[in-house]
Amino acid sequence: MKLAERSGFDVQMMQMALRLATRGLGRTSPNPAVGAVIADERTGEVIARGCTAPGGRPHAEPQAIAAARERARGATIYVTLEPCSHYGVTPPCADAIVKAGLTRAVCAIEDPDPRVAGRGLDRLRQAGLSVERGVLAEAAQWVTAGHILRVTERRPLVTLKMALDGDGGVPRGHAGKPAWVTGEGARAAGHLLRARSDAILVGRRTVLDDNPLLTCRLPGLEARSPVRVLLARDLKGLAETKLAQTARVHPLWVVCPESTDGGELAAMGAQIVPTRLVGGEFWLPAVLEALVARGITRLLIEGGPATWSAFSHAGLVDEVVLFHARGADGAETSPVSAISDVGRYVSTSDFDVYDRRTFGNDDMLVLRRKWTRGTRRSQTEEKP
């Protein structure tokens, strides 16, 4: 295969690996969701595929190798994240790749985990494999962002989900009855966000106004409901909510001040996470660090404007997913108008438009912070 052809094939295989990794989002924490593809570059055949299993183990690479069996020998493996090089619950994936007889490895990004941090690729090079890194690195960084931020900043990836009416407002529920802003298609897309998150966070006012369940109710994905996190300085009235009454079925973590008596909610099955206040408010970096310590790498925030604004003001928002109902004229919401409406609640000065979609009479806009890790340019490292 010529170099140009190989480069194009590498991209195709890495795209496949990234799609595999995406399947694991929300299911593998605290481990990253990784995709692996084993292919024969001479024939263009895909031999085997693998992704991180629910719960984080087995890892993607040994699963692909097990599926390929002897056909892995002499082939190329494509992985979205550098293979691990340390002994944990399972042996190093780098050693499994060497033992399988693979002769080339293409990796999207290095792992910032100090236990790995380039050592996995070094292990492959020392064993005589040809190693290339940086293929589709930017896409891989976002798929792996929860893991990267957990290691580098001790916090999860934070996504704000916003639902605005045609005028850019936020109709509020009352007495436990929610006010629906968008239609069924947009709400289904919102439930998919839940399935791809480790945890979902709301504030006390949202719970009392809407009395939400905060589970994923897409057919076939009910088991992928995230951990539900409630941020509340005052626990009054919460025992009567759906969140508390289902705490033994769907995990509920209540983040509250250290001096708060959470005994009633704890008796109902909730886990109490005491956190210090600063100036009467939650110190959000400490809240996120507490969630990371409990294995959360991807956090979806569905609270109202006060919660959105607090996380934005603290500089802790990485992504905004806006569901915007159309106005009375039914015209599509322009990106400029949508961004302006988002700006009423959170800062968008450091965000770029990543995606736009339509669901019936609702428009979706995805904004992502200009967040990048320093990555080295793609390069091929041949056998020494």
Side-chain angles (χ1 to χ4, degrees), residues 236-252:
K236 183 180 179 180
L238 295 175
E240 289 75 39
T241 64
K242 292 178 182 178
L243 288 184
Q245 293 169 0
T246 59
R248 296 193 186 280
V249 180
H250 305 289
L252 171 64

Side-chain angles (χ1 to χ4, degrees), residues 6-295:
R6 189 172 80 175
S7 177
F9 186 73
D10 286 352
V11 170
Q12 292 177 21
M13 294 300 100
M14 190 61 72
Q15 287 172 334
M16 184 182 299
L18 286 167
R19 287 193 293 270
L20 289 167
T22 301
R23 293 181 186 178
L25 294 178
R27 307 180 72 192
T28 66
S29 67
N31 287 352
V34 178
V37 174
I38 295 176
D40 187 335
E41 295 182 66
R42 297 165 298 180
T43 63
E45 179 186 5
V46 175
I47 298 172
R49 300 176 297 176
C51 59
T52 309
R57 299 180 183 87
H59 293 180
E61 300 93 325
Q63 293 209 84
I65 290 169
R69 299 184 180 181
E70 288 301 316
R71 298 193 65 199
R73 191 165 300 278
T76 297
I77 187 167
Y78 298 85
V79 289
T80 57
L81 180 67
E82 177 183 10
C84 62
S85 57
H86 62 284
Y87 280 88
V89 176
T90 56
C93 291
D95 287 355
I97 291 172
V98 172
K99 184 177 179 180
L102 290 146
T103 57
R104 182 170 179 255
V106 180
C107 175
I109 57 174
E110 291 184 3
D111 191 339
D113 189 323
R115 296 172 300 176
V116 186
R119 295 182 182 88
L121 297 183
D122 286 344
R123 172 73 180 92
L124 300 182
R125 285 193 296 268
Q126 290 166 5
L129 277 78
S130 172
V131 176
E132 183 168 350
R133 61 189 169 195
V135 176
L136 298 184
E138 184 176 352
Q141 284 173 357
W142 271 101
V143 171
T144 321
H147 169 70
I148 294 171
L149 288 168
R150 178 183 69 86
V151 172
T152 60
E153 298 186 22
R154 293 296 299 161
R155 70 174 181 85
L157 176 79
V158 176
T159 297
L160 293 190
K161 178 208 161 191
M162 305 175 68
L164 305 180
D165 64 21
D167 296 321
V170 185
R172 300 203 67 90
H174 178 68
K177 296 182 179 180
W180 298 113
V181 176
T182 55
E184 291 185 5
R187 293 203 294 272
H191 278 259
L192 184 59
L193 288 177
R194 293 180 180 181
R196 291 178 173 177
S197 302
D198 301 332
I200 179 172
L201 182 147
V202 294
R204 177 176 179 271
R205 181 177 174 183
T206 294
V207 173
L208 296 180
D209 284 349
D210 297 347
N211 195 18
L213 193 56
L214 300 181
T215 57
C216 176
R217 295 188 290 279
L218 292 178
L221 295 181
E222 295 90 347
R224 296 184 61 169
S225 294
V227 172
R228 302 169 305 168
V229 179
L230 171 57
L231 200 62
R233 293 193 300 273
D234 181 357
L235 305 187
K236 183 180 179 180
L238 295 175
E240 289 75 39
T241 64
K242 292 178 182 178
L243 288 184
Q245 293 169 0
T246 59
R248 296 193 186 280
V249 180
H250 305 289
L252 171 64
W253 298 353
V254 180
V255 179
C256 57
E258 293 172 325
S259 59
T260 303
D261 180 7
E264 183 179 16
L265 293 179
M268 299 176 73
Q271 181 179 144
I272 306 302
V273 183
T275 307
R276 66 188 178 95
L277 300 182
V278 176
E281 301 292 338
F282 285 108
W283 179 241
L284 294 180
V287 171
L288 294 186
E289 187 166 358
L291 296 183
V292 159
R294 288 165 171 78

